[in-house]
Amino acid sequence: MNSKVGDPHVKTPQVTGEAELSPLELLVVGSIAGVVAKTVTAPLDRVKLIYQVTPSKVYSFRCALQLARDIARLAGPQGLWYGHMATVYRVVPFAGVQFLMFETMQKRLARLPEAKESPFAPFWIPACAGASAAVSATIATYPLDVIRTRIAGHLEAVPRYRNYSSAVHGILQIEGFRGLFRGLSPTLLGIGPYGALSFSAFEFSKGKLRQWHGVSSDSDVPLHHLLAAGSLSGASAQLLSYPIQTVRRRMQLPYPEELGAQGSLAYANIRDTFRQIHTTEGLVALYRGASIVWLKGPLTVGLAFGVNDMLKGF
C-alpha cells in the first residue's frame, strides 16, 4: 500500500523522462515558462503592486480596473507593462534556477532510504525540494526584484527612473549596497512555505491526474488539466503568503509616496512594518489587492507549471 502511494512521485524522474534532460535544458525550459507566465500577467501584477505600496489608495476590484485605465491613459497601454523588462531580467534566472533546483533536489531526496520507506514521501519530498528551490532562486535574483519594485511601484506620468541603471545608481547613492536587499528577510520568510506548498500541491495533483487518466507520464495528461492543477496550487499558496508579500513590497519601496526618495526610511524591519500597517491602516491592509491574486495567481502559476511540463515533454 505504502509503495503504491509513493511510486507516482518517487519514480517520477524515470517515468516522465526528466532524467534525460540536462541541467542546462531544465534551466532553459524553466526560464521560458517563467517569462511566458509573467508577460501574460504583467498588467495585473503592476496594479496589485501599486496598491500594496500605496496606503492612501482605496482598494476595490472596480477601483483596480479604474487604476489600470489611469495607467493606460497616463503612459499608454504599454504603461501596464512598465518595469516588465526588469521582471524578465529577474524571472529568467529565477524560474530557471527554481525549476532546476526543484528537479535536482527532488531526485536526490527520492534516493534516500527514508523516502522509499515513508508513506508521506509524495508530500514531503516535493515540499522540501520546492522550499529549497524557491529560497535559492530568491537569493540569487533578489536585487533585480527590488529594482523592478522601485520602477513599477509609482503611478506617475514621468517615470521616476530613466532606466534600470539609474534605478541602481539611485538606490546605491541613497541607501548603499544594502538597499538592493531591502525586504529580503520577509521575502525568505514567505517564499519557503510558498514554494513548499505550491510545488507539493502540484506534484500531488499530477499524481492523481496520472491515475485518473490511466497514464504513466505527465506529458500524457491533457495540458488544460495540468494548467488547472498548477493554478489551484499557486492560488492557494499565494493567498496564504500574501500578508508577508505586502510587508516585503513596503520594505522594498521604503519611502512615503509624498516624500519621494528624499524622506527618511518609512519601514525599518519586519516588526516595524507590521506595526505601522496595523496601527495606521488595520490588518486588512495586509491583504490590499489580494482579490487580484484570484486572477493573477492561478494564471501565472498555472502557465509556469503547465508550460514547464509541456516543454520538458518536447
Side-chain angles (χ1 to χ4, degrees):
M1 179 66 180
N2 290 350
S3 60
K4 182 178 180 181
V5 173
D7 284 345
H9 299 279
V10 174
K11 296 183 180 180
T12 292
Q14 286 74 27
V15 171
T16 61
E18 292 170 14
E20 299 176 2
L21 296 178
S22 68
L24 178 59
E25 288 170 328
L26 290 172
L27 195 68
V28 171
V29 164
S31 298
I32 294 173
V35 169
V36 169
K38 283 294 187 179
T39 300
V40 171
T41 61
L44 294 172
D45 202 34
R46 190 181 182 200
V47 170
K48 177 176 68 69
L49 172 60
I50 290 175
Y51 275 110
Q52 283 183 311
V53 300
T54 312
S56 59
K57 286 192 174 295
V58 177
Y59 175 78
S60 71
F61 203 74
R62 177 178 294 181
C63 291
L65 291 176
Q66 184 58 50
L67 176 59
R69 295 191 191 100
D70 291 341
I71 294 173
R73 177 175 52 82
L74 286 171
Q78 67 272 19
L80 293 168
W81 277 267
Y82 187 63
H84 179 58
M85 285 309 299
T87 302
V88 171
Y89 295 152
R90 170 183 172 268
V91 166
V92 168
F94 181 92
V97 170
Q98 181 175 242
F99 281 113
L100 173 60
M101 282 294 296
F102 175 74
E103 299 292 343
T104 303
M105 291 299 297
Q106 184 174 235
K107 292 172 186 176
R108 290 185 178 180
L109 291 172
R111 297 191 191 104
L112 296 176
E114 295 84 352
K116 299 176 182 179
E117 300 173 359
S118 173
F120 302 106
F123 300 97
W124 68 259
I125 288 179
C128 292
S132 61
V135 168
S136 300
T138 296
I139 294 175
T141 63
Y142 193 75
L144 297 172
D145 190 35
V146 173
I147 294 169
R148 186 258 172 181
T149 302
R150 299 295 178 92
I151 291 175
H154 299 282
L155 181 60
E156 299 168 326
V158 179
R160 181 162 298 184
Y161 299 106
R162 297 190 310 275
N163 49 46
Y164 304 114
S165 60
S166 67
V168 174
H169 178 73
I171 294 172
L172 293 177
Q173 186 177 42
I174 298 174
E175 304 168 56
F177 184 74
R178 293 182 63 181
L180 293 173
F181 289 88
R182 280 193 60 84
L184 179 59
S185 297
T187 301
L188 294 180
L189 186 63
I191 199 66
Y194 169 79
L197 179 58
S198 59
F199 274 100
S200 61
F202 183 56
E203 289 299 309
F204 177 76
S205 299
K206 285 197 298 182
K208 292 299 182 182
L209 287 172
R210 289 196 300 269
Q211 292 178 12
W212 187 36
H213 288 284
V215 298
S216 59
S217 172
D218 292 341
S219 59
D220 293 328
V221 177
L223 179 60
H224 64 281
H225 286 181
L226 290 176
L227 290 175
S231 297
L232 292 174
S233 303
S236 301
Q238 286 194 357
L239 284 174
L240 288 174
S241 63
Y242 197 84
I244 200 69
Q245 299 304 322
T246 298
V247 171
R248 169 173 73 110
R249 292 304 187 190
R250 293 289 183 93
M251 292 181 68
Q252 286 180 337
L253 198 65
Y255 301 104
E257 183 73 21
E258 63 273 12
L259 295 180
Q262 305 302 320
S264 59
L265 292 176
Y267 305 109
N269 50 52
I270 300 176
R271 182 178 179 180
D272 179 62
T273 306
F274 267 115
R275 182 185 59 78
Q276 287 198 50
I277 294 175
H278 174 255
T279 302
T280 61
E281 305 167 57
L283 290 177
V284 70
L286 293 170
Y287 286 91
R288 188 189 301 274
S291 62
I292 298 178
V293 172
W294 286 111
L295 289 177
K296 173 187 173 291
L299 191 56
T300 303
V301 181
L303 280 172
F305 281 151
V307 172
N308 181 71
D309 276 21
M310 181 183 67
L311 292 178
K312 284 194 297 183
F314 289 151

